[in-house]
Amino acid sequence: MGKQKITLDFETAYGAKLKLGFKHQTTQQYLNDPRFEIIGVGTKINNAPTKWGVGKQERYLQSIDWDNAILIAHNALFDASILSWHYGIKPKIIVDTLSMARALHGVDAGGSLKALAERYEIGVKGDEVVHAENKFLRDFTPEELAKYGEYCMNDVDLTYELFKIFAPKFNKVEIKLIDMTCRMHSEPKLTLDIDILQDHLYRVKKDKEDLLTVNGVTREDLMSNDKFAALLKNLGVEPPMKDVKPTKKNPDRKGKTFAFAKTDDGFKALQEHENFKVRNLCAARLGHKSTLEEKRTERFLQIVDECGALPAPLKYYGAMTGRWAATDKINLQNLPRGSLLKKAIIVEPDHVIVGADLSNIELRVGLYFAGQMEKVALLGSGADLYKDFASSVFEVPYDAVDDEQRFIGKTSQLSLIYGVGAEKIRAAIKQGSGKDIGADEAKRIVDLYREEYNHVKTAWDQGREVLDWLWVTSGETFGGNGTVKRGMFGGGPLKLDVYNLCGINLPSDMFLNYPDLQKYAKTHEMTYHSRQGRVRIYGAKCFQNTVQALARCVMGEAMVRINERYPVALTIHDAVYCVVPEHEAEEARRFIITELRKEPSWAPGIPLDAEGGYGNNLSFKMTKL
């Protein structure tokens, strides 16, 4: 990289008795707590011996040329935020070894410094931090501070060794994405409107109480599954049921349970029930069982009170596909459309939020990757694939497709590309339109799609073959480091190398893999390890994961280009948001859309599209150029 490397680790006051630290607070709450105190800091400049300094060490840290320095830290979101918020220091580049570990080993693998040190056999992490709990600087003896310093310097050395191991495996784009993700938190560009938040919280609470009054039930009735089931039966409705899922502790778990989760198909159907009393009852349960909107609004108000700005805490490589994920109890990734919380996210005067969203990115990438090139060409010509498939389903000319038919075409396109069957496509259409197309019609649509999109269907079969390549039995042996190329994945111009131990090699130079992949002899079913237990994996799902990972690569490369001109303030799924001077709003919108539309070098000819907009809050409408 050619710049001065500063490996750094802050030791700060924390403790259960104090209710201070990560176990009790978000990073923002912790750093803005009046009791927050820096006990000391360990630093390593390039490969020089590591130093320990007691206290804030402001003069020393300010003496470093950070404009030409790379900050290296383990959990850099924390250390970079301390540098920014308590010292006003903003390094040229921020590198996080915790983020690197998640990308290399999977989001469910142990990413602690202790676990990684053991994994790579680079040393042993000490335990002096345990003896520092509930202590401020004044509480340490000189001997204790000296031991704490040794502990901190060891952490710095371990972090630097990890960096040397990890760095060669990351290209420039991924390094810049790590840096960008850290800065969304350490250098926040968004803020919040307290008046909108207070009004919204009042309305959310009032709506919940009104739902109880209208339905004549108690909160206890709604929160209890058994009592809620009884309320449904009193209305002549049989409560929906679902199979219970095996768990890690109980892999043989079987039976039925109520399907009352908001994501359950049975509960979704109840929300569209012909009896308005049933619909109201479901709305009341959602209002009281799911307090997400209320809690999030209260959390936003707390943020305003603590510091005013809205840091965006995100995990780089928060999902196995490489996509960002929320962290630190602030989930900006699933703000509902039309939510007043979006209107409450604002910027400073004379500035606007400019954002753009990739259009149908998974559909475009999926068809390109599968090799369904005649449909890719249609996309490139500006055709509407939803109408195109609807014209086949209903046997009408393209221009004669009406809105109801197009909806069925859209639902089919977005679901069937990932191997969804007749039962699920029927439920999806009913949920969105209220119309039940029937089992026979659903099957006809599925069969028609698989015939018309034959290359997509072949890609699912290829996905199963890829899983077999990745599944290594105990009897197999391989030369060298145990990794060999097993084949290639992809039916179109883009083909990805697949290695037996590493996984599917993505354009980002990262790998998509399935930890502890297992195959069951009797059923041939395959599962892999996650924190939620064993997860089923099959060909169409492998194809879906790969498409989502490729879509993330498209987004990541575009964000890096955008960030060079307009620093990225936030990303939500396939959208990117920047804060720019108001007079540059339209120019920035056009620039961001143009960058999102650019085809990556590894996918020549893929027709990408995007729409964008701007406003003084996050609720603006996006349109095409």
Side-chain angles (χ1 to χ4, degrees):
M1 293 179 178
K3 293 180 175 61
Q4 196 175 48
K5 300 178 183 67
I6 312 295
T7 311
L8 176 146
D9 183 36
F10 283 105
E11 300 299 343
T12 55
Y14 81 102
K17 292 181 180 178
L18 301 173
K19 293 188 177 179
L20 186 67
F22 294 133
K23 290 184 178 180
H24 310 278
Q25 300 170 296
T26 66
T27 302
Q28 184 190 38
Q29 289 173 319
Y30 186 21
L31 298 190
N32 284 309
D33 193 302
R35 299 169 299 162
F36 177 79
E37 182 183 52
I38 295 169
I39 305 299
V41 56
T43 54
K44 185 182 192 71
I45 299 179
N46 295 323
N47 200 31
T50 302
K51 297 180 179 179
W52 160 256
V54 175
K56 195 172 179 182
Q57 294 291 306
E58 184 159 11
R59 182 178 297 179
Y60 167 67
L61 291 177
Q62 294 288 0
S63 70
I64 295 172
D65 182 13
W66 290 102
D67 291 337
N68 294 292
I70 301 168
L71 169 67
I72 302 167
H74 196 74
N75 189 14
L77 183 144
F78 174 66
D79 295 287
S81 295
I82 294 178
L83 283 176
S84 178
W85 301 358
H86 288 269
Y87 298 83
I89 290 173
K90 298 173 183 178
K92 181 70 174 178
I93 300 174
I94 301 170
V95 178
D96 178 28
T97 51
L98 174 58
S99 293
M100 290 174 144
R102 287 193 181 116
L104 291 174
H105 307 312
V107 295
D108 290 329
S112 69
L113 193 57
K114 179 179 185 297
L116 291 169
E118 292 173 356
R119 180 177 190 139
Y120 287 97
E121 299 180 343
I122 57 175
V124 178
K125 180 175 169 62
D127 62 0
E128 284 299 323
V129 70
V130 176
H131 305 298
E133 186 173 6
N134 299 310
K135 288 184 179 181
F136 291 102
L137 182 56
R138 64 178 179 269
D139 300 318
F140 286 83
T141 66
E143 293 78 13
E144 289 172 335
L145 277 175
K147 289 183 178 179
Y148 207 12
E150 292 175 4
Y151 163 85
C152 181
M153 289 189 289
N154 182 57
D155 277 5
V156 171
D157 289 336
L158 293 176
T159 301
Y160 183 63
E161 290 303 312
L162 286 176
F163 170 77
K164 289 194 297 182
I165 294 168
F166 292 165
K169 301 176 183 180
F170 284 78
N171 62 32
K172 290 182 179 180
V173 168
E174 294 303 309
I175 292 293
K176 289 180 179 179
L177 289 176
I178 292 173
D179 172 84
M180 187 190 310
T181 304
C182 290
R183 291 184 197 275
M184 289 181 205
H185 188 274
S186 66
E187 301 172 26
K189 297 172 179 61
L190 303 171
T191 186
L192 294 162
D193 187 312
I194 189 170
D195 293 331
I196 291 177
L197 290 173
Q198 289 176 336
D199 181 65
H200 185 51
L201 182 61
Y202 168 78
R203 291 180 181 277
V204 168
K205 289 182 175 181
K206 188 175 186 303
D207 286 347
K208 286 172 61 177
E209 295 307 316
D210 288 348
L211 282 168
L212 289 178
T213 303
V214 169
N215 287 283
V217 297
T218 66
R219 189 174 188 277
E220 184 182 356
D221 292 332
L222 297 172
M223 299 294 281
S224 165
N225 283 350
D226 290 334
K227 291 184 178 181
F228 185 73
L231 290 172
L232 289 174
K233 288 180 179 179
N234 288 338
L235 292 172
V237 175
E238 190 64 29
M241 306 294 289
K242 63 181 178 181
D243 294 327
V244 297
K245 293 183 178 181
T247 63
K248 191 174 183 179
K249 291 183 178 179
N250 188 2
D252 298 322
R253 187 168 174 248
K254 294 180 181 179
K256 296 284 187 179
T257 187
F258 292 117
F260 290 159
K262 63 182 179 181
T263 56
D264 288 335
D265 291 336
F267 189 68
K268 288 179 181 178
L270 288 180
Q271 296 171 57
E272 304 293 333
H273 198 276
E274 59 184 10
N275 186 336
F276 78 93
K277 290 184 178 180
V278 175
R279 296 197 302 270
N280 285 347
L281 196 64
C282 291
R285 178 177 169 90
L286 283 173
H288 280 267
K289 188 75 174 179
S290 176
T291 58
L292 178 62
E293 188 78 356
E294 184 177 347
K295 288 182 178 178
R296 180 181 280 145
T297 306
E298 290 173 339
R299 178 70 193 103
F300 276 15
L301 281 167
Q302 191 176 22
I303 289 171
V304 174
D305 184 57
E306 289 166 353
C307 78
L310 176 63
L314 295 175
K315 288 181 182 178
Y316 157 88
Y317 243 86
M320 67 180 298
T321 57
R323 293 191 169 190
W324 287 263
T327 186
D328 229 3
K329 301 178 184 177
I330 305 173
N331 192 348
L332 300 175
Q333 297 292 292
N334 66 343
L335 291 175
R337 288 185 179 181
S339 170
L340 277 175
L341 291 180
K342 284 192 171 183
K343 189 170 285 188
I345 298 174
I346 60 174
V347 287
E348 61 187 40
D350 302 322
H351 285 73
V352 292
I353 303 171
V354 182
D357 194 349
L358 280 165
S359 302
N360 307 121
I361 182 61
E362 286 189 33
L363 179 63
R364 294 169 186 273
V365 170
L367 296 177
Y368 183 90
F369 182 58
Q372 202 73 52
M373 302 311 292
E374 79 282 5
K375 300 299 183 182
V376 172
L378 273 178
L379 278 170
S381 70
D384 183 338
L385 281 194
Y386 304 156
K387 288 180 65 175
D388 177 70
F389 186 61
S391 70
S392 296
V393 171
F394 296 101
E395 298 180 346
V396 297
Y398 176 89
D399 292 331
V401 173
D402 61 30
D403 290 344
E404 183 178 320
Q405 292 168 337
R406 183 183 181 275
F407 171 78
I408 291 178
K410 176 180 180 179
T411 305
S412 300
Q413 284 280 14
L414 298 180
S415 301
L416 297 180
I417 190 172
Y418 293 141
V420 164
E423 183 179 341
K424 287 190 175 181
I425 194 64
R426 177 187 178 186
I429 291 172
K430 183 178 180 181
Q431 181 190 347
S433 67
K435 180 180 179 181
D436 187 355
I437 62 173
D440 291 342
E441 177 66 0
K443 184 178 185 305
R444 186 182 74 83
I445 291 174
V446 170
D447 291 343
L448 179 63
Y449 180 90
R450 295 181 180 184
E451 179 182 349
E452 191 168 324
Y453 287 77
N454 59 311
H455 291 286
V456 172
K457 185 175 182 298
T458 299
W460 306 336
D461 297 332
Q462 196 178 16
R464 177 55 189 260
E465 187 177 20
V466 168
L467 291 172
D468 283 332
W469 292 340
L470 298 180
W471 176 64
V472 182
T473 66
S474 59
E476 285 189 271
T477 57
F478 299 92
N481 62 0
T483 299
V484 296
K485 181 175 175 180
R486 301 302 302 271
M488 303 186 79
F489 190 14
L494 173 63
K495 292 180 172 57
L496 305 176
D497 291 329
V498 182
Y499 297 89
N500 71 293
L501 294 183
C502 291
I504 302 165
N505 195 187
L506 302 168
S508 60
D509 293 334
M510 298 291 101
F511 288 89
L512 174 62
N513 205 346
Y514 299 95
D516 190 24
L517 190 62
Q518 294 181 7
K519 181 189 289 187
Y520 298 98
K522 290 184 178 180
T523 62
H524 296 286
E525 181 182 62
M526 301 184 81
T527 65
Y528 66 93
H529 166 75
S530 79
R531 290 181 182 176
Q532 288 72 43
R534 303 297 303 178
V535 177
R536 182 169 172 256
I537 186 66
Y538 45 93
K541 187 68 174 180
C542 179
F543 171 74
Q544 178 181 5
N545 292 158
T546 306
V547 169
Q548 291 172 337
L550 291 170
R552 182 268 182 192
C553 292
V554 172
M555 186 68 180
E557 290 185 14
M559 284 174 60
V560 167
R561 296 193 301 269
I562 292 166
N563 192 68
E564 289 176 356
R565 181 169 176 182
Y566 298 111
V568 173
L570 179 66
T571 179
I572 301 177
H573 302 307
D574 301 318
V576 57
Y577 299 91
C578 304
V579 175
V580 306
E582 191 171 10
H583 68 273
E584 288 186 49
E586 181 58 26
E587 180 183 351
R589 183 181 83 96
R590 290 181 174 275
F591 171 77
I592 294 172
I593 290 176
T594 300
E595 291 303 317
L596 288 174
R597 282 177 168 178
K598 286 183 179 178
E599 65 183 44
S601 60
W602 43 267
I606 187 171
L608 300 178
D609 202 4
E611 55 184 16
Y614 52 85
N616 58 9
N617 62 63
L618 203 62
S619 66
F620 56 82
K621 184 178 179 181
M622 294 192 184
T623 58
K624 295 185 181 295
L625 287 179

